[in-house]
Amino acid sequence: MRVDEIFRAIGSFAVRFRWVVLIVWVAAFVVIPRALPSLASVTQGNNSAFLPASAPSEQAAQLAAPFGTTNLIPVTVVAAVGTGTLTTADQAWLTTLSNDLLTVPTVVKVHDLGVSAPSATVSGQAAQLLALSNVNTSNDNAITSLIDTMRATIKGAAPPAGMQVHLAGQFAVNVDQQKQSGTTGNQVQDISVLFIIVLLLLIFRSVLAPFITLIPAAMSVAISGPLVAEAAYHGLKVSQLSQLLLIVLVLGAGTDYGLFLVFRVRENVRRGDPSKEAVVNALTKVGESITFSAFTVIAALLSLLFATFQIYSNLGIPLAIGIGVMLLAGLTLLPALLAIFGRAAFWPTKNRAGAATAGAWGTIAARITRRPGAALAIGVIIMGALSVAVAGYESAGFGGAISAPAGTDSAIGTTLLNKYFPASAANPTNLVYTLSVPVWQDPQSIAAATRQLEASGEFTGVTGPLNPVGGTGFTPAEYAELHAALGSGPFSPTLPAALAGKIPPQVYQEYRATAQFVDTAGTTIQFQTALTAGDPSTTAALRAVPAVRAEAAAVVPTLHATAYGVAGEAPALYDISAISNSDLAHVIPIAIVVIGVLLALVMRSLIAPLYLIASVALSYFAALGLAVLVFIEIGNSGGITFILPFLLFLFLLALGEDYNILVMTRIREEAHQLPLREAVSRALSVTGTTVTSAGLVLAGTFSVFAIVGGRGSGGSQIRDVGIGLAVGIIMDTFVVRTVLVPCTVCLLGRWNWWPSKLVSAGSDSVGASADALGLRESPAGADSGGAAETDTAAETDSRGRP
């Protein structure tokens, strides 16, 4: 059975049983989201959770496991009095508050981090509690619920007169930012849908066609999300990026596939086909393009399984599931809808027989094919010039310092935290060490290590076992004496009565704060540091990580440590960046080979895949070079998020080949009846609008992804990815697929199809051999049962004329 016959059978089934097909899809749309978990409930927002166990920052986190904070989300509670010091009654209330916070859903631990040191320059005193939660960090509703419930619990506990209690830290700030700017929630999906509808209304100049095109994509998003979530319950990790890209990719690519079919149906209607026959004939011709387009995307996504960084390796399966669902909808649901609505789908446009016109792309195609060498040379020079800018690429972090909206609870909490506690308390970079003997047996080495770190120039603040709340702290002898008297915890909030008069209450409170720096066994310690390079989320901090790790290593002999590590946001981002660059080097060749094989199958050629993939490489470097110019050279951002080069190549490789397949298969179809340059001109005139419309849809959805998804705290990486992909797709659509590739086809002539030949149905023994090898093709006009035509394509002249 020929390929065309397969898709004719699929189209005939979808049209004949159109109401059954529609009912099945509507049932799936209703039942699956209710029967399976939601995607938002399983996504993980902490990118470091996807690091392999061999990553240095992940090893450091494991070293810090005795402190009981690994893989839990910290929310800081700051309680302060404006004058005097915290009283015994205040301490007792804080103990009650700790117990109350343990009743908040997802809060599993509450650590009392002690009180601030007295200061001659700062009036009052503050205490810190650290609530640890296992909340899903990508579930905005869950995080908001956690913060709101903690605040309600604090309010319900009725703080003593003169005490103010507020939340601080990244998650409290993020919630307040969202409340001020409006939660994103499903805005990416909703705004993407609205954008696509408006654009399709302009493209089709029809009321129903945009909705018919979009319905399969929208239903695929609704169905594929719960399917991915169910896979997550069986071990698949799903990142926040996966959730956003699933929406954008399925809506964008799904609408593209819809455009492939709808434009061909409209062309057939204008040619005079009855409406249902127009649908069957359209799917017969573009079904192969849609299917192999989806297969190339799925192949590129599944090549991510070879990545080391799990945010990449686990990105492939969720998105592949979405594209798989979309392919099924595009081959069944969309033809059924087009058959149900018939010519009304294009109302009020009058698609009478013979109404087709060449349009703008007909004019452009004629000019391109008249002088293909000149057009190709100009395009390559421009794209090559942009590619040169790639030399200025620099990896960047995930954004700037955390900033709470003025007047909010988190803003007040952050102010109190910075006022009463060391700068390292807000977002520390932790230096973790495993010691050969308990710290209280050799406190002199701790003092020496503290001085060594402070003198290194890499840190603006260092707090640790001897100075847990900043200031001068304890001498080694004092620390040893306090341990002999008080032990290693757990400690009560107030000085035990038996020690009253022997140890000053303030000294006791400061010693109690050492619990966050020394584990109960005394063999694991950590220093909290504030980086000279700035906030740990910035590019400067990311680039400072090698120097910070070098300083941490230099302290190992001083401490007689057996192991060490550097934990925190900056080290995690650095490791992610390094692994991302490594993955780029070995995943991309795999994707190229797999997609090259698929292109060879659909093109029946070994030559076409070579220049089609080369065109993607040119498009990739030009798009990345333009991003460097915009973000680094003009925007002075200092770098581009390291995830952009990886995703840019994969999406341009996969989605760019979608358009290649559509254009090339149409050129091949027309070349059965026309000289090659006329075939190229004809194919480009009828596919140019489809390709550019599809490119605008996809670029637009990525722009929505950038604008809406990047509004939150730390959203600069999403913004970079969205804008980079949108610009890359626009360049790829308007320059590479519709100009450079057709020009190359014209110049290569018959070699485009080597080793296959464009032969007609029913011929000689040569044709039989071609059949056996799978290299023979039927002409454009030959459907099942069609009459054989004389084969003139077997002998092609030097101009590639069949």
Side-chain angles (χ1 to χ4, degrees):
M1 180 180 287
R2 294 197 305 268
V3 173
D4 281 1
E5 293 175 345
I6 295 173
F7 289 103
R8 174 169 288 277
I10 295 172
S12 298
F13 175 86
V15 170
R16 181 178 180 184
F17 300 101
R18 52 194 177 277
W19 290 107
V20 175
V21 171
L22 178 60
I23 290 170
V24 170
W25 275 99
V26 170
F29 176 73
V30 173
V31 172
I32 289 178
R34 287 165 172 76
L36 299 179
S38 69
L39 187 58
S41 67
V42 297
T43 52
Q44 301 179 29
N46 182 6
N47 289 327
S48 63
F50 294 87
L51 283 169
S54 59
S57 57
E58 187 67 15
Q59 293 176 341
Q62 295 306 314
L63 285 179
F67 294 106
T69 59
T70 304
N71 298 325
L72 295 175
I73 303 305
V75 180
T76 301
V77 181
V78 184
V81 291
T83 57
T85 60
L86 294 168
T87 64
T88 302
D90 292 335
Q91 293 285 356
W93 181 86
L94 288 171
T95 301
T96 301
L97 178 62
S98 297
N99 295 330
D100 291 344
L101 290 173
L102 284 172
T103 66
V104 173
T106 76
V107 173
V108 294
K109 297 179 182 177
V110 178
H111 290 174
D112 186 341
L113 302 184
V115 301
S116 61
S119 171
T121 59
V122 178
S123 60
Q125 191 177 37
Q128 253 192 105
L129 301 178
L130 188 67
L132 299 172
S133 167
N134 58 11
V135 67
N136 183 342
T137 55
S138 281
N139 189 330
D140 290 341
N141 292 333
I143 295 174
T144 300
S145 176
L146 168 66
I147 299 301
D148 288 347
T149 307
M150 288 183 64
R151 286 170 174 164
T153 302
I154 293 169
K155 183 178 180 180
M163 178 185 288
Q164 52 180 328
V165 185
H166 302 277
L167 302 185
Q170 175 184 355
F171 293 96
V173 171
N174 287 350
V175 168
D176 287 341
Q177 284 181 332
Q178 281 191 349
K179 288 182 178 180
Q180 185 180 65
S181 61
T183 180
T184 58
N186 294 322
Q187 286 182 350
V188 170
Q189 178 175 332
D190 295 342
I191 296 178
S192 295
V193 169
L194 179 61
F195 170 82
I196 293 172
I197 290 174
V198 171
L199 184 59
L200 293 182
L201 284 170
L202 295 174
I203 292 170
F204 286 115
R205 297 184 296 278
S206 166
V207 175
L208 294 178
F211 296 96
I212 294 172
T213 305
L214 186 58
I215 284 172
M219 292 180 72
S220 296
V221 171
I223 292 171
S224 58
L227 293 177
V228 172
E230 181 64 23
Y233 275 95
H234 296 280
L236 178 68
K237 286 185 177 180
V238 182
S239 68
Q240 185 178 25
L241 187 63
S242 298
Q243 181 185 13
L244 291 173
L245 285 179
L246 180 67
I247 296 170
V248 172
L249 182 62
V250 174
L251 282 178
T255 305
D256 284 1
Y257 302 156
L259 289 172
F260 290 0
L261 181 60
V262 174
F263 271 115
R264 191 61 181 258
V265 170
R266 188 175 70 173
E267 180 184 342
N268 290 347
V269 169
R270 287 176 173 177
R271 194 178 59 190
D273 290 356
S275 58
K276 293 182 177 58
E277 185 178 337
V279 175
V280 175
N281 290 339
L283 192 63
T284 301
K285 293 304 179 185
V286 302
E288 182 182 14
S289 299
I290 293 172
T291 300
F292 274 89
S293 294
F295 282 174
T296 57
V297 177
I298 291 173
L301 293 170
L302 292 183
S303 68
L304 294 174
L305 294 173
F306 295 93
T308 305
F309 184 28
Q310 291 184 43
I311 203 171
Y312 292 157
S313 60
N314 289 317
L315 186 67
I317 292 178
L319 299 186
I321 290 173
I323 293 298
V325 173
M326 184 59 241
L327 173 61
L328 187 60
L331 295 178
T332 58
L333 177 59
L334 182 57
L337 290 172
L338 288 168
I340 289 170
F341 286 97
R343 290 178 178 270
F346 302 102
W347 181 87
T349 302
K350 298 184 183 300
N351 292 301
R352 295 184 300 269
T357 59
W361 276 107
T363 304
I364 295 172
R367 292 179 178 177
I368 289 174
T369 55
R370 191 177 302 125
R371 300 188 63 187
L376 180 63
I378 293 172
V380 169
I381 290 171
I382 294 173
M383 302 288 278
L386 289 173
S387 300
V388 173
V390 172
Y393 169 77
E394 293 283 349
S395 294
F398 271 20
I402 296 172
S403 177
T408 60
D409 177 79
S410 61
I412 300 172
T414 300
T415 300
L416 293 175
L417 189 65
N418 293 333
K419 177 180 179 181
Y420 289 105
F421 294 96
S424 59
N427 189 8
T429 298
N430 295 337
L431 315 183
V432 188
Y433 297 90
T434 301
L435 306 181
S436 54
V437 297
V439 62
W440 43 80
Q441 293 184 15
D442 185 19
Q444 292 81 7
S445 65
I446 305 298
T450 303
R451 291 192 297 270
Q452 188 175 342
L453 291 171
E454 289 173 337
S456 70
E458 296 296 332
F459 312 105
T460 57
V462 178
T463 54
L466 298 184
N467 61 337
V469 293
T472 57
F474 308 118
T475 65
E478 289 172 341
Y479 180 82
E481 291 175 4
L482 287 168
H483 176 265
L486 298 170
S488 55
F491 304 107
S492 63
T494 56
L495 180 66
L499 296 174
K502 299 179 181 178
I503 298 176
Q506 183 57 43
V507 173
Y508 172 77
Q509 292 295 338
E510 188 168 356
Y511 180 76
R512 189 165 68 90
T514 63
Q516 61 183 309
F517 299 99
V518 182
D519 74 330
T520 54
T523 53
T524 300
I525 68 167
Q526 65 179 354
F527 295 93
Q528 289 185 350
T529 68
L531 301 179
T532 303
D535 187 274
S537 66
T538 61
T539 300
L542 181 147
R543 294 175 182 168
V545 168
V548 171
R549 284 176 170 160
E551 291 299 334
V555 173
V556 168
T558 305
L559 292 170
H560 311 294
T562 58
Y564 81 99
V566 182
E569 185 175 6
L573 295 182
Y574 181 86
D575 290 343
I576 293 171
S577 177
I579 292 173
S580 177
N581 293 334
S582 173
D583 282 343
L584 187 67
H586 72 263
V587 170
I588 295 307
I590 296 173
I592 288 175
V593 169
V594 173
I595 291 180
V597 171
L598 289 173
L599 287 174
L601 290 174
V602 73
M603 296 288 103
R604 283 80 155 172
S605 167
L606 297 179
I607 300 299
L610 298 180
Y611 65 77
L612 293 180
I613 290 178
S615 71
V616 171
L618 178 64
S619 178
Y620 166 72
F621 285 113
L624 185 58
L626 184 60
V628 169
L629 292 175
V630 172
F631 293 122
I632 297 179
E633 301 300 332
I634 299 175
N636 295 318
S637 65
I640 298 174
T641 181
F642 43 76
I643 200 174
L644 176 60
F646 193 95
L647 293 181
L648 185 63
F649 189 92
L650 282 170
F651 279 103
L652 287 182
L653 179 65
L655 298 173
E657 299 305 354
D658 282 5
Y659 307 149
N660 275 335
I661 289 171
L662 179 69
V663 173
M664 291 294 290
T665 52
R666 189 58 185 261
I667 290 173
R668 188 185 66 200
E669 179 183 335
E670 298 293 342
H672 285 288
Q673 300 175 349
L674 299 170
L676 185 61
R677 291 200 181 187
E678 291 182 28
V680 171
S681 180
R682 166 66 180 164
L684 191 56
S685 68
V686 295
T687 61
T689 302
T690 306
V691 171
T692 52
S693 299
L696 286 173
V697 167
L698 199 57
T701 53
F702 276 118
S703 298
V704 172
F705 169 75
I707 296 169
V708 180
R711 288 191 313 185
S713 177
S716 62
Q717 77 276 22
I718 294 177
R719 201 158 44 244
D720 286 1
V721 168
I723 293 174
L725 288 172
V727 171
I729 289 168
I730 288 292
M731 292 173 58
D732 192 79
T733 299
F734 284 88
V735 179
V736 178
R737 304 302 141 219
T738 48
V739 177
L740 301 189
V741 169
C743 289
T744 305
V745 174
C746 289
L747 294 174
L748 286 179
R750 63 178 179 174
W751 290 105
N752 286 290
W753 322 113
W754 186 88
S756 69
K757 299 180 185 297
L758 295 175
V759 298
S760 300
S763 52
D764 54 18
S765 59
V766 175
S769 300
D771 272 340
L773 293 173
L775 300 177
R776 179 179 178 179
E777 304 176 45
S778 61
D783 294 329
S784 58
E789 297 181 14
T790 304
D791 177 17
T792 59
E795 299 294 334
T796 5
D797 63 20
S798 60
R799 291 174 294 169
R801 290 170 46 134

